[in-house]
Amino acid sequence: MKSPLLLSATAALLALAACNSKPNSAEVLDSNPDPMANALANRGPVELPPAIKAEKTFRCKDNSLLYVTLFEGDKLALVKTSQTGTVNRLTAEKTGDPLVAEGGWKLTGDPKTITVTQPGKPSQSCKS
């Protein structure tokens, strides 16, 4: 008696399993499409900002201090005249050109020695 009952139960389970033979693939409907999807797909390549090359404090000939952040590529520097002062962004068109900013800022050099011209002051050399 056990085997016909076991056999009929197994057959019933197999029949139930065969009823749902569709794969479980959920259909995703996008009822709220991204309005910028087309613009994002057609945008140009993104250029990352340059990495920091050095952050230095320079002592200049007139005994003043400059706080300078130099970036890789030598096309960007951030200069402050005090630790909490205003940041002056100096840029160059290509590597090797002097870094300049509005107002008369001009900077050349490397992480050890720079030559800087500040608004209203003559050019002077500074060492880190």
Side-chain angles (χ1 to χ4, degrees):
M1 284 242 172
K2 288 184 180 181
S3 45
L5 184 60
L6 184 60
L7 186 60
S8 64
T10 305
L13 287 174
L14 287 174
L16 284 174
C19 288
N20 192 9
S21 61
K22 286 185 181 178
N24 277 343
S25 60
E27 191 173 328
V28 178
L29 298 175
D30 190 3
S31 62
N32 190 13
D34 185 1
M36 292 188 62
N38 194 27
L40 291 173
N42 296 324
R43 74 172 190 262
V46 176
E47 185 178 336
L48 295 174
I52 294 176
K53 183 179 188 177
E55 278 190 306
K56 299 284 185 169
T57 302
F58 289 89
R59 170 112 18 219
C60 298
K61 289 280 187 183
D62 67 357
N63 212 24
S64 65
L65 292 175
L66 287 179
Y67 303 89
V68 180
T69 305
L70 299 166
F71 291 86
E72 291 293 335
D74 300 326
K75 294 183 191 176
L76 175 64
L78 303 177
V79 180
K80 297 186 293 184
T81 55
S82 68
Q83 282 187 322
T84 58
T86 304
V87 175
N88 298 288
R89 186 172 199 238
L90 285 68
T91 58
E93 211 39 54
K94 59 183 179 179
T95 301
D97 286 352
L99 300 164
V100 295
E102 289 183 20
W105 283 94
K106 183 177 176 182
L107 184 135
T108 57
D110 57 45
K112 292 183 179 182
T113 306
I114 62 170
T115 301
V116 66
T117 304
Q118 299 177 53
K121 292 185 177 181
S123 178
Q124 63 179 332
S125 63
C126 308
K127 293 182 180 182
S128 64

